Amino acid sequence: MDIIKEDEIDLVEILKKIYESRKFILIISFSFALLGVAVAILSPIKFSSETIFITQNQESNSSSLSGVASLVGINLGTSNFGGEIIPSSMYPQVIQSPKFKRLLLNSNIDFDNKINLKQYLIDYYKLNTENDKINSDLYVSELENDCFEIIDEIISVNVNQKDGFITLSSTLPVAEYSAILTKKAKEILQEIIINNKIESANQNLIFSQQQLEEKKLIFDEIQAKLAYFSDSNLNSVNSFVINERDKLEAEFQIINAVVTELSKQVEQVKLQVSKDTPVFSTIKEAVIPNERTSPKRTLLVIIFGFICLVISTGFILTKDILFDVFNEVKS
């Protein structure tokens, strides 16, 4: 009973102290609330726009391509030039790459005034443009580095590991710019990933096409020789003419078979490139936001006022103890 009574007395004392100092608490809380209003008004306005997309699985498409290819005598086989699933860690790595950031800096965000992202960042953040004369893939200038750091803040990508959704967003002070930048970032990101995934198949395609062009030249040359020889010896039936014609026809048949096989191989590799090319489906398009992302002015005022209310109340309840400790230390 004594403990309960002491607790009741302590609670009454606490409430009494708070009530007696209510004017002080309200004045301090109101002052900090006004500070919150000032911070909310002076904070730069920012708008965010996001897009959501997903990579389609191409395995079912490859089986249908194999069926179509078999009808024209092409066997796709089981070769794989990089058509495996795109790892989820690839998207953030591409976003962080200098190649992505440079392409993004050169993209237009204001088509009317022909302003690209780099020029906008320079003007808005008052960046120093003196150290931007070196142009090299192996060197990042000071201006580029400043722009890259800002891009890290305004561009973000989030990968849903479970469902495979990729969310890309950008935040800028201008609502229209944020939507345009998000769209451009998505296009650049997807282009880099596609080029990376089909690089091996493209190299194989280039090699096959070069071989086919070389053999076609030989084919045309032998075909011309055979036609000229046949026209020149229409009335000749001696052994030499017959042997020479048979020789040219044999060469023609061989090179014709080689060209035919190379043509099939080129078509096969083209189908492989199509198979390896990732297909992106957009779930949510980037649109111009109607409401700002920050600052949340009402929330800022409430937070400032609440924090000050807690601090001022705590100070009232502990000031006697704090003064006693201060006097003991001082003495």
Side-chain angles (χ1 to χ4, degrees):
M1 295 297 293
D2 293 339
I3 296 176
I4 296 176
K5 186 175 181 181
E6 289 179 1
D7 291 342
E8 290 177 350
I9 293 173
D10 291 341
L11 180 60
V12 170
E13 288 294 328
I14 291 174
L15 294 176
K16 184 178 179 181
K17 284 184 178 181
I18 294 175
Y19 181 76
E20 291 174 349
S21 305
R22 63 187 182 279
K23 290 184 179 180
F24 171 80
I25 295 174
L26 291 175
I27 291 173
I28 298 298
S29 299
F30 182 74
S31 300
F32 268 76
L34 291 178
L35 178 62
V37 172
V39 171
I41 294 175
L42 297 176
S43 296
I45 297 175
K46 294 181 179 181
F47 296 88
S48 293
S49 179
E50 71 173 17
T51 181
I52 302 175
F53 58 92
I54 190 172
T55 307
Q56 296 293 331
N57 191 345
Q58 295 251 46
E59 292 183 359
S60 58
N61 294 337
S62 65
S63 61
S64 61
L65 287 175
S66 299
V68 174
S70 64
L71 295 177
V72 294
I74 300 175
N75 180 20
L76 288 180
T78 57
S79 60
N80 189 359
F81 303 111
E84 67 273 6
I85 298 174
I86 300 173
S88 59
S89 60
M90 187 174 184
Y91 297 98
Q93 289 176 359
V94 172
I95 291 291
Q96 293 295 323
S97 66
K99 179 179 180 180
F100 171 84
K101 293 177 180 178
R102 280 173 174 151
L103 291 172
L104 195 63
L105 286 174
N106 292 326
S107 61
N108 286 337
I109 59 174
D110 190 330
F111 297 101
D112 294 333
N113 298 315
K114 297 181 180 180
I115 300 175
N116 59 23
L117 178 63
K118 183 177 182 179
Q119 188 59 50
Y120 174 77
L121 296 181
I122 291 173
D123 295 339
Y124 185 81
Y125 291 96
K126 311 298 181 184
L127 301 179
N128 184 6
T129 59
E130 295 179 358
N131 300 316
D132 190 42
K133 298 180 180 180
I134 299 178
N135 185 15
S136 172
D137 293 337
L138 301 178
Y139 179 82
V140 177
S141 66
E142 292 184 16
L143 176 60
E144 278 187 325
N145 187 63
D146 293 338
C147 292
F148 288 177
E149 291 179 354
I150 297 173
I151 289 177
D152 290 336
E153 296 177 0
I154 64 177
I155 297 289
S156 65
V157 63
N158 181 41
V159 180
N160 187 316
Q161 300 282 355
K162 181 180 179 181
D163 300 322
F165 294 110
I166 300 95
T167 302
L168 180 66
S169 63
S170 66
T171 303
L172 285 175
V174 182
E176 183 179 359
Y177 290 176
S178 67
I180 295 174
L181 184 61
T182 301
K183 183 179 179 180
K184 289 291 184 181
K186 183 190 73 170
E187 293 173 354
I188 295 172
L189 174 64
Q190 292 178 353
E191 181 181 357
I192 292 176
I193 289 178
I194 288 173
N195 291 337
N196 181 275
K197 300 302 291 182
I198 65 175
E199 181 179 2
S200 178
N202 269 334
Q203 290 176 354
N204 193 28
L205 177 60
I206 293 172
F207 174 78
S208 298
Q209 288 176 331
Q210 290 175 345
Q211 292 296 311
L212 178 60
E213 292 299 322
E214 291 176 3
K215 299 305 178 184
K216 278 185 176 180
L217 293 176
I218 299 175
F219 174 85
D220 293 338
E221 182 181 349
I222 295 177
Q223 188 180 41
K225 285 183 179 180
L226 179 59
Y228 178 78
F229 183 83
S230 298
D231 292 342
S232 301
N233 298 276
L234 289 175
N235 300 320
S236 300
V237 291
N238 58 64
S239 298
F240 173 78
V241 172
I242 294 173
N243 289 337
E244 193 66 22
R245 183 185 292 111
D246 290 343
K247 179 181 177 181
L248 289 173
E249 287 179 350
E251 290 181 5
F252 178 78
Q253 293 298 329
I254 292 173
I255 194 63
N256 183 56
V258 171
V259 170
T260 301
E261 189 61 32
L262 284 174
S263 298
K264 291 181 180 180
Q265 183 177 342
V266 168
E267 294 304 318
Q268 173 184 340
V269 180
K270 286 181 179 179
L271 290 172
Q272 186 67 50
V273 171
S274 177
K275 171 189 171 184
D276 291 349
T277 302
V279 177
F280 296 95
S281 296
T282 302
I283 308 300
K284 177 184 178 183
E285 288 284 1
V287 295
I288 299 175
N290 295 321
E291 297 181 357
R292 62 176 178 268
T293 305
S294 64
K296 302 293 185 182
R297 291 173 176 170
T298 303
L299 183 61
L300 274 176
V301 174
I302 293 174
I303 290 175
F304 268 80
F306 178 76
I307 291 176
C308 185
L309 177 65
V310 173
I311 293 175
S312 58
T313 302
F315 173 76
I316 293 300
L317 297 177
T318 59
K319 65 178 181 178
D320 294 337
I321 300 175
L322 293 175
F323 287 153
D324 291 341
V325 172
F326 177 77
N327 290 331
E328 289 181 4
V329 172
K330 186 177 180 180
S331 61

